[in-house]
Structures are given as structure tokens and as C-alpha cells.
Amino acid sequence: MATLGDIGVSALINILTAFAFLLAFALLRIQPVNDRVYFPKWYIEGKRNSPRHRGNFVHKFVNLNFKTYLTFLSWMPQAMKMSEAEIISHAGLDSAVFLRIYTLGLKIFGPTAIVVLLVLIPVNVSGGTLFFLSKDLVVSDVDKLSISNISPKSLKFFVHIGMEYLFTFWTCYILYKEYGRVASMRLKFLASQGPKPEQFTVIVRNVPHQSGRSISDSVEGFFKKNHPDHYLCHQAVYNANKFAKLVRKRNRLQNWLDYNQLKLERNPDKRPTSKTGFLGLWGKKVDSIEYYKHQIKEFDRMLTIEREKILKDPKCIIPAAFVSFNSRWGAAVCAQTEQSKNPTLWLTNWAPEPRDIFWKNLSISFVSLSIRRLVIGVSVFALVFFYMIPIAFVQSLANLEGLEKVAPFLRPLIEWKFVKSFLQGFLPGLALKIFLYVLPTILMIMSKIEGHVALSVLERRSAAKYYYFMLVNVFLGSIIAGTAFEQLDAFVHQSATQIPRNIGVSIPMKATFFITYIMVDGWAGIAGEILRLKPLVIFHLKNMFLVKTERDREKAMDPGSVDFPETLPTLQLYFLLGIVYAVVTPILLPFILVFFALAYLVYRHQVINVYNQRYESAAAFWPHVHARIIASLLISQLLLLGLLSTKKAANSTPLLVVLPILTLAFHKYCKNRFEPAFRRYPLEEATDKDMQDHPESNANLKALLADAYLHPIFNSFEEVELVEVKVDKNQSPSPSPAASEPDDKNQSQASSPLSELSSPSPTHQHAHNHDDEQSQKVQHYEAGPPGDIFHYEYQQSEYMYHYDVESYHHGYHY
């Protein structure tokens, strides 16, 4: 059991670690060579120029202005200058509402900490029960500040019950005000936006097969019949997953080609070579550049064949489509109503914004979705309990004194005071953090298998799984496994009637473990977040070995977005710890407050200067945040109810029964009052927004929607031709004159840079007759792995195609 001294050692270690990280960040951020790592968002928006373009050679790498070193902590006030409205304009509503979660924690726990520390600490200390139980149970000075120190049947429990009521009412009040504020911000944000494709488009899934009709014809006929006044156009969805896999493989080959060409540029006298066997360890020795050029040419051929197969084969059109309407009102009616008497057909929902789509999952059938989600549900359940094994082991590290009583032979190993303090005060939280490191990746893979079609939904589902895992393993698992292990000696040698008493007394004692975890993850971990050590190293490695152009450098500095699948559940765990222990062990609250204050400052800086959100969901995650804080309140009330029952507080315990009922009633009211703003779009708002649109925007609506939801396989074709392919469904596109008849203009295009080339659109249902094609065609692949853009071209007697691999990289997140 960790003592106050152990917690002090842990606090010292984590404070020094956090200070070191913050100091390193403050110094590294002002160096010109690191400017793109710590301010990438401003470069992406084109509002910042590299300081390396000025000064002599040394100035390009090191900041020689010593005055800036005296104000190296200026980032803190700078992070607080931007208003919330400016943050919404600069980084989006998701980022602004994400920051409000930290201020919500400060609003809830700030006043609460003052009250409970002034009221409950003196009450708990005056109990004195643990002094008499110390011979049987492992206790520490921290436990004497908790409710465990109150003797059974004491009237002092009325103080704890009163504080629980006061804390619950205060939390619900803050939640109500915040929910209303966020809902208002969401509606205002949506109303302030100009015409966007997702405002007029719904996604339709499980389109029924009709004999003699294609999926595209079925969709068009259905919506012209049922939405005759508002249907505008639709975009079919293609199963191009195999094509994407080929693109990814070609992408890797292009990386190797570029790497070897770079080696040749640095050493022109020696051509690079490699072996053709497994991982280049054995096999025939060949010229690397020629070998990879040949491999890429073969993949170009396979990509062309696969693409033409997709275009010609009706089976490659999956039973789903993006259907666009001529008004927001029409889209809202379609998205929020049932389209068929068979509730499993013609399933409609609001389409995600184009950059939010996870294209790979659009090809999953309705039956497969149900099976996948059942299998993943069972798998998540198994994963949660599989992780109980390492969690229980971590708890054994936190309870060395309990281990000594059961296994005295280990006593010499932990006799040294500093080693003991380190093991109990720092190592358990660090070990738990390491065990949890790989979990978000596993849960994201599971969410993708479930078949969700939007990245934002994928992240919310992954965050939900992670939250349930943290609740069961980190919280309940730590309490149950740690308490049972810690009091094992008492459980073994005392009668069974005493076990409930020991558990009731021991649950609050786990606060010491959670305090160490908060300091490791919430203090040092957040300071490590702003340091960005991993992105710093990766950027400089890419800049040294891979970057050749300015666009390469932009890709190398890509900061990504806030990691919602991991950050939100971690935040909700801190809410859970603060809410549960506010009345049970109030000494934990100051550590929670330090976390929320530091994290708010750090993430404010990151949102303003670093992260670039890849989608905008207009704070769609807020109902989940609200619901899980309510769940934390219920868990807190039930645990306190169980704890008091072990204290034989028969007179006071029944007063708590009403509190969960009131909490659930409050949650239901908030759900009915505010959640519709996050689930549905009011027809009143849609009508008002349609009436505000300028007539010119209505005239250009079809052009706006024409290629917004075009599958990535077509993303790089000429825009004018794309409109012809997608919108005019009744006509088969034909080659443009510039492509089918060689003339001066076409010849000039063939000799121009690749980025200036244009191409005819492919037909959806008819194959070109290649025997009649005479013009020379150029295929252009633009591969976009992280940090590299490459160009390769060859000629053949076909139409010119241009594949943009970056679209696939975004859509599938390779």
C-alpha cells in the first residue's frame, strides 16, 4: 500500500518529468529547423513562412536571437489569446467543443474540491477506525483521509450522503448548461455554413436488386417516383477494394524506386543494386532502379486492367448510392424517414462529408453487417476479460506490502526504501499505461470490421469500446483485483462473515493507485503530448532521406488530427475517478484538477498550432460525453450505496436510493431536450437555410454535387468530363475530340508537364473499342505515401488515365 511518502516520490518524479518535457518543448519550438513540427497547421493554411529562408547557414537551424530564450514560456499566454469563436473559425467546431470538455472538468471539480476538502477531510480524519483495523488490514496514511476511517453505524455518514446529493445536483446543473450551450453552438455552426455537398445528400444502402435493371437505374427510378420534386442526381458506388490494394502495393514500389534514385543522385558513380529474393536477402542481384521501374510498369498494366474491369462489370456496382436533392429540406425528409414498407431495404441516412467517408466499408452487405457486429461484440467482450490478466499483475506491483504478508521470502527484495517507493508510487501507473498503448489500434481495427462508413463514426465507436474497456479493466478491475490481492491475508485467515466488511473498507484505498496513474498519464503524459518527440524524430528522418520537393515536405509534416478514439475515453476515465472518489477519498481531486488545467492549456496550443482535423462532425460526439458522465454519477452512487451497506449504516443508506432515480430522470430529460439537435436536422432550419441561399448558388448546385461523392477511382479525371459521366446517367460518355483526334492541341498536351494533362471520362457501362483508338495515351500515376510524391509515365495506345493514389490513401487510411 502506497504511503504519503510513496505518493510524494511519484509526484516529484512526474513533476520533474513534466517540467523537463515543457522546458524541452519551449526550447525546441523556437528553433527554425523545428518550425514545421510545432506549427504545421499554419503552414497547411498558408499563413506561415519558414524562418529557414532567412539569414545565414547557421540561422537556418539554430535560433541565435537570445532575447527569444528569455521569453521561451510565451507560448502559454499565446495559447489563451484566441477566443472560442476564432478557434471555431480556425480549427472547426469539433476542436472547440473538445476543449470545452476540459473546462467542463474544471467547472465540476473546482468548486467541489474546495467544499469536500474543507468538509469531508476533517470528518474522515476524526473517525479513527483504521487505527484499530491496522493489525488485520494493510492501511496507509492516505486511507485515513477517506470514508474507510469512519466507524460503522456512525451518524457522520449523513455528511457524506449530503455531499453526494450536493455534488450530484451541481454536476447535473453544469451538464445541463453545457449540453444546451453545445447544442446551440452546433445549430449556429450548421446555419453559418455555405452550401456543402453533405447538406443536400443522403447515403442509401441495401438497394434491392431488380431483374433487368442496374443498381443505378433502380436508384434513379425509385427516387424520381418517391421524391419527384426534390431528387436531383445520384452517384453509384463501386467495389474498388482490389484496385486500392494494387495501388498500395504500387505505392510501396514507387517508394523504393525513389529511394534508389536518391541514392544514385548522391553517388552518381555507383548505381544501386538489390536482390530479388525474400526481403532482398538473397536471389539474383539486379539494378535497383531498372528493377523497380519494371515492377511499376507491370503494376500500371494491372491497374489499368482492373479499372476497366470495374467500369464494365455491373457486379462491381454495389447496392448503395449517394443521392443528392435540390434542397436541404428534401434531403432532410429523405434522410429522416423510412423509404420502404420493408424496413431492411432502401436504408437512408445523412451522407458524411466527402472527406469523412471510409470507402472500403460501403461494399459490405446488410446481412454481413449484422454478422460482423455480432462477432465484434463477442470479441470485445473476450478482449476485455483477456486484459484482466495483465491488469491484475499490475495491481500486484501496487500492493507489495500485501504481497509480503502472503510471500515473506520476497521481503529482502523490496526492503530498500527508495526502490519500494519507486515500485509503489511510479511503476504501477507506468506499467498500466504501457499495457494500454496498443489497445486503441486493436479497437479501431474492430470498428472498421463492423462496417461503419464514416471516419467520425469509426472513431466514436472505437472510443466507446475503449471506454468500456477502461471502465471494466482499469477502474473496476483495479479495484476488484487489487483489493482482493491486497487483503488476501485477511480473506484467508478471517471468517467469511468478515469479507464484506474488508471489501467495503478496502475499495477507497485504491485511490492511491489511481493517484499515481493520474500523475503518470495526466501530468507527464500531457507534457509529453506537447513535446511531440515522435513526430519530431520522424519529420527529420523523412526530411533527411525522403523529401525532395516542397510538397514532399508538406506531407512529411502532416500532423494528423486529435486522437479522439484514445483521448475521449481517457478524459471520461478521469471524470469517473473524480466523481467516484469525490465523496469517498476527496484527496484525489487536486490531482484531477491539475490534469484538467494542464491538459486544457496543452490541447489549446495543439488545436491552434498543430492538429489539422481530417473531418468535421459538428460536435456529434457530445451526447456520448454527456451520457458517460451520467454513467459515472450512477456508478458513484451505487458504489457509495454498497460501501455504506458494509458500514451497517441502516439509517442513512436508504436516503441514497432516490439519487440514482433522480439522475436517470435528469438524463432522460436532457436526452429528449437536446439530443435531437445531434441526431436530426430540423425541417424549419432546412427551410430557412434554403430560403437564404443566393439564386446563383442554386444554379450551381448540380455542379457542386456532381463529383462531391465520386469514388476515389475517378477523383483525378477532368472535372468537366466527370460531370458528364456522373450526372447525365442516360447517356454513354464518348471520348472527347481532344483525346480521340490527334491535333496540335493534343500534341502540346502530350509534351506538357504531367500535372497539366487532361483526360476523357471513362464510361460506366460500356467498354471502349480499343481497336478503333489511334491516339497515343499517357498514364499518369501520382502516388502519395506519407512524405513522398512521385511521377512516372509511359505511353501506350489507349486512353489517357490519371490515378491519384492520395485519394485512396485518405479514403482507406493505409
Side-chain angles (χ1 to χ4, degrees):
M1 175 63 63
T3 64
L4 284 175
D6 299 332
I7 293 178
V9 171
S10 177
L12 178 62
I13 293 173
N14 286 286
I15 289 173
L16 292 177
T17 302
F19 180 78
F21 285 164
L22 293 174
L23 181 62
F25 160 73
L27 296 177
L28 289 172
R29 67 184 285 273
I30 60 177
Q31 307 306 319
V33 71
N34 299 325
D35 203 59
R36 290 179 179 270
V37 177
Y38 294 110
F39 301 96
K41 186 168 182 62
W42 297 103
Y43 281 93
I44 292 172
E45 295 182 352
K47 297 179 180 179
R48 189 179 181 93
N49 296 320
S50 175
R52 300 187 68 186
H53 295 160
R54 302 183 297 269
N56 55 32
F57 179 78
V58 177
H59 279 86
K60 294 180 182 296
F61 298 92
V62 181
N63 183 1
L64 298 181
N65 184 1
F66 293 101
K67 291 183 179 180
T68 58
Y69 289 90
L70 301 177
T71 59
F72 64 92
L73 293 179
S74 61
W75 67 271
M76 294 184 180
Q78 289 174 1
M80 301 301 297
K81 283 183 178 179
M82 188 176 286
S83 67
E84 185 174 71
E86 291 172 330
I87 290 178
I88 294 175
S89 176
H90 174 67
L93 185 63
D94 281 345
S95 299
V97 173
F98 170 70
L99 293 176
R100 291 189 71 90
I101 303 177
Y102 294 98
T103 60
L104 176 65
L106 294 173
K107 291 176 183 177
I108 291 176
F109 296 117
T112 301
I114 296 174
V115 175
V116 297
L117 290 175
L118 292 178
V119 176
L120 291 183
I121 292 294
V123 173
N124 293 338
V125 172
S126 65
T129 300
L130 293 181
F131 176 79
F132 300 102
L133 296 178
S134 57
K135 295 180 180 179
D136 297 326
L137 299 176
V138 179
V139 298
S140 72
D141 294 336
V142 177
D143 303 320
K144 296 176 183 178
L145 304 177
S146 72
I147 197 174
S148 298
N149 203 33
I150 305 297
S151 60
K153 300 182 180 180
S154 174
L155 295 177
K156 295 179 180 179
F157 289 124
F158 283 103
V159 179
H160 296 84
I161 293 175
M163 293 304 300
E164 182 71 15
Y165 268 91
L166 181 63
F167 176 60
T168 299
F169 290 157
W170 171 251
T171 303
C172 289
Y173 171 75
I174 295 298
L175 283 176
Y176 178 82
K177 300 292 287 185
E178 199 68 17
Y179 210 154
R181 173 61 178 162
V182 173
S184 175
M185 292 171 62
R186 173 181 168 87
L187 292 176
K188 183 179 178 181
F189 177 78
L190 294 175
S192 66
Q193 292 184 309
K196 291 192 173 183
E198 61 270 20
Q199 299 171 359
F200 300 89
T201 306
V202 301
I203 182 172
V204 185
R205 304 185 72 179
N206 215 31
V207 177
H209 175 73
Q210 299 179 4
S211 179
R213 301 189 69 182
S214 67
I215 294 295
S216 182
D217 291 339
S218 297
V219 171
E220 185 173 15
F222 180 86
F223 284 95
K224 279 187 174 181
K225 174 184 176 182
N226 294 286
H227 300 268
D229 298 328
H230 298 282
Y231 169 76
L232 183 64
C233 60
H234 75 276
Q235 173 59 56
V237 180
Y238 295 84
N239 185 355
N241 293 340
K242 183 178 178 181
F243 183 91
K245 291 179 181 179
L246 291 174
V247 168
R248 184 176 60 179
K249 292 179 181 179
R250 186 195 182 281
N251 191 16
R252 290 198 292 265
L253 291 173
Q254 189 66 68
N255 277 337
W256 279 110
L257 175 61
D258 183 73
Y259 170 73
N260 284 282
Q261 288 177 333
L262 187 60
K263 286 177 63 176
L264 182 62
E265 291 177 7
R266 293 180 175 178
N267 189 6
D269 298 330
K270 183 180 179 181
R271 290 186 66 84
T273 59
S274 59
K275 296 181 180 179
T276 58
F278 179 72
L279 296 177
L281 299 177
W282 59 74
K284 182 180 178 182
K285 197 171 186 179
V286 296
D287 183 286
S288 297
I289 295 178
E290 295 301 322
Y291 172 76
Y292 286 115
K293 281 185 176 181
H294 175 74
Q295 291 290 315
I296 290 172
K297 187 174 182 179
E298 287 298 310
F299 268 88
D300 289 343
R301 183 183 61 82
M302 289 188 289
L303 282 167
T304 301
I305 294 174
E306 179 63 23
R307 177 188 170 283
E308 292 180 349
K309 176 183 175 182
I310 293 171
L311 297 176
K312 291 187 294 183
D313 188 358
K315 294 181 180 180
C316 289
I317 302 180
I318 64 175
F322 292 99
V323 180
S324 298
F325 297 83
N326 58 15
S327 67
R328 296 174 183 84
W329 189 93
V333 169
C334 181
Q336 297 166 183
T337 57
E338 193 168 308
Q339 303 300 310
S340 171
K341 59 184 178 181
N342 185 342
T344 64
L345 300 177
W346 298 103
L347 305 178
T348 58
N349 206 340
W350 282 106
E353 61 175 343
R355 58 178 178 165
D356 191 19
I357 297 174
F358 188 71
W359 291 94
K360 187 176 183 180
N361 282 352
L362 285 173
S363 60
I364 301 175
S365 66
F366 180 80
V367 175
S368 178
L369 281 176
S370 302
I371 297 174
R372 284 166 176 252
R373 290 173 186 177
L374 175 62
V375 171
I376 292 300
V378 175
S379 301
V380 170
F381 180 82
L383 179 66
V384 167
F385 286 92
F386 170 79
Y387 256 73
M388 285 293 288
I389 298 174
I391 294 295
F393 172 74
V394 168
Q395 290 308 308
S396 70
L397 296 176
N399 301 305
L400 297 180
E401 292 178 7
L403 184 61
E404 282 185 17
K405 289 190 175 184
V406 181
F409 61 90
L410 293 176
R411 185 172 297 145
L413 184 65
I414 55 178
E415 280 296 322
W416 294 348
K417 185 175 181 180
F418 179 79
V419 173
K420 185 176 181 179
S421 297
F422 176 78
L423 290 177
Q424 292 187 325
F426 181 74
L427 191 59
L430 179 62
L432 182 59
K433 179 70 174 176
I434 293 173
F435 275 121
L436 297 177
Y437 183 75
V438 299
L439 187 63
T441 302
I442 297 173
L443 297 179
M444 176 56 77
I445 293 173
M446 287 183 167
S447 297
K448 290 180 178 180
I449 294 174
E450 282 183 318
H452 304 290
V453 298
L455 298 175
S456 56
V457 177
L458 282 174
E459 293 196 345
R460 290 199 294 274
R461 294 303 304 161
S462 181
K465 295 180 180 66
Y466 196 25
Y467 170 75
Y468 299 140
F469 178 90
M470 301 275 274
L471 173 63
V472 174
N473 278 287
V474 179
F475 181 69
L476 297 178
S478 295
I479 288 177
I480 296 171
T483 301
F485 191 90
E486 176 182 318
Q487 310 302 344
L488 185 60
D489 182 71
F491 293 164
V492 171
H493 294 95
Q494 292 186 2
S495 64
T497 58
Q498 298 298 313
I499 291 178
R501 185 204 68 168
N502 293 335
I503 293 179
V505 171
S506 302
I507 287 177
M509 298 178 184
K510 293 311 300 176
T512 55
F513 167 76
F514 289 121
I515 287 174
T516 63
Y517 179 75
I518 291 168
M519 288 188 290
V520 172
D521 182 71
W523 295 7
I526 289 296
E529 157 69 28
I530 200 171
L531 180 59
R532 289 177 55 80
L533 185 59
K534 180 180 176 181
L536 178 69
V537 173
I538 292 176
F539 171 78
H540 286 303
L541 288 176
K542 287 183 176 180
N543 202 34
M544 185 179 301
F545 296 107
L546 298 176
V547 170
K548 296 194 302 180
T549 67
E550 189 63 25
R551 189 174 179 188
D552 295 347
R553 186 171 290 107
E554 290 176 3
K555 286 188 170 291
M557 74 174 183
D558 181 19
S561 55
V562 178
D563 190 10
F564 287 143
E566 183 176 0
T567 306
L568 288 180
T570 303
L571 260 173
Q572 290 150 8
L573 174 65
Y574 290 135
F575 275 103
L576 175 64
L577 294 178
I579 291 172
V580 168
Y581 281 100
V583 174
V584 174
T585 310
I587 195 64
L588 181 138
L589 289 186
F591 298 90
I592 290 281
L593 283 173
V594 171
F595 161 75
F596 277 111
L598 180 61
Y600 175 69
L601 179 65
V602 167
Y603 275 106
R604 219 175 194 278
H605 174 275
Q606 301 297 79
V607 162
I608 293 172
N609 298 301
V610 178
Y611 291 125
N612 184 45
Q613 290 300 113
R614 56 184 175 180
Y615 63 80
E616 176 59 59
S617 70
F621 56 81
W622 187 261
H624 303 281
V625 174
H626 175 89
R628 285 162 197 161
I629 295 177
I630 293 293
S632 299
L633 281 173
L634 292 171
I635 292 171
S636 169
Q637 295 156 8
L638 294 175
L639 286 179
L640 184 59
L641 188 65
L643 180 59
L644 292 180
S645 67
T646 67
K647 292 284 191 174
K648 302 178 182 179
N651 295 328
S652 57
T653 301
L655 296 175
L656 274 176
V657 175
V658 180
L659 199 53
I661 299 175
L662 294 177
T663 304
L664 287 173
F666 168 77
H667 175 57
K668 184 176 181 180
Y669 172 79
C670 288
K671 187 179 180 69
N672 294 333
R673 172 66 179 83
F674 298 117
E675 191 168 322
F678 296 84
R679 298 287 178 258
R680 296 185 292 272
Y681 188 52
L683 295 182
E684 181 184 18
E685 290 283 331
T687 302
D688 291 343
K689 189 64 178 172
D690 287 334
M691 294 177 65
Q692 293 172 10
D693 281 347
H694 195 276
E696 291 184 1
S697 63
N698 293 329
N700 297 328
L701 184 59
K702 197 168 185 177
L704 171 70
L705 298 173
D707 60 352
Y709 290 95
L710 185 65
H711 197 283
I713 191 175
F714 303 122
N715 263 355
S716 57
F717 286 99
E718 190 71 18
E719 180 178 352
V720 175
E721 302 293 346
L722 285 177
V723 174
E724 177 186 353
V725 171
K726 298 189 306 309
V727 177
D728 191 359
K729 301 289 184 181
N730 298 322
Q731 296 182 4
S732 297
S734 58
S736 62
S740 58
E741 298 177 6
D743 55 14
D744 294 340
K745 180 180 179 180
N746 193 27
Q747 292 174 4
S748 65
Q749 283 184 338
S751 61
S752 65
L754 292 175
S755 59
E756 298 175 3
L757 293 173
S758 62
S759 64
S761 297
T763 177
H764 280 197
Q765 300 175 1
H766 303 284
H768 290 300
N769 185 351
H770 294 292
D771 295 334
D772 296 334
E773 314 277 351
Q774 301 297 328
S775 60
Q776 292 291 319
K777 298 287 302 190
V778 177
Q779 285 201 350
H780 170 204
Y781 289 82
E782 181 178 323
D788 298 280
I789 301 295
F790 308 112
H791 298 284
Y792 178 70
E793 58 178 313
Y794 71 97
Q795 292 189 351
Q796 65 179 29
S797 180
E798 295 182 358
Y799 278 94
M800 174 176 58
Y801 301 138
H802 169 192
Y803 299 102
D804 186 348
V805 183
E806 183 180 355
S807 299
Y808 274 96
H809 178 77
H810 170 77
Y812 289 89
H813 291 270
Y814 294 129

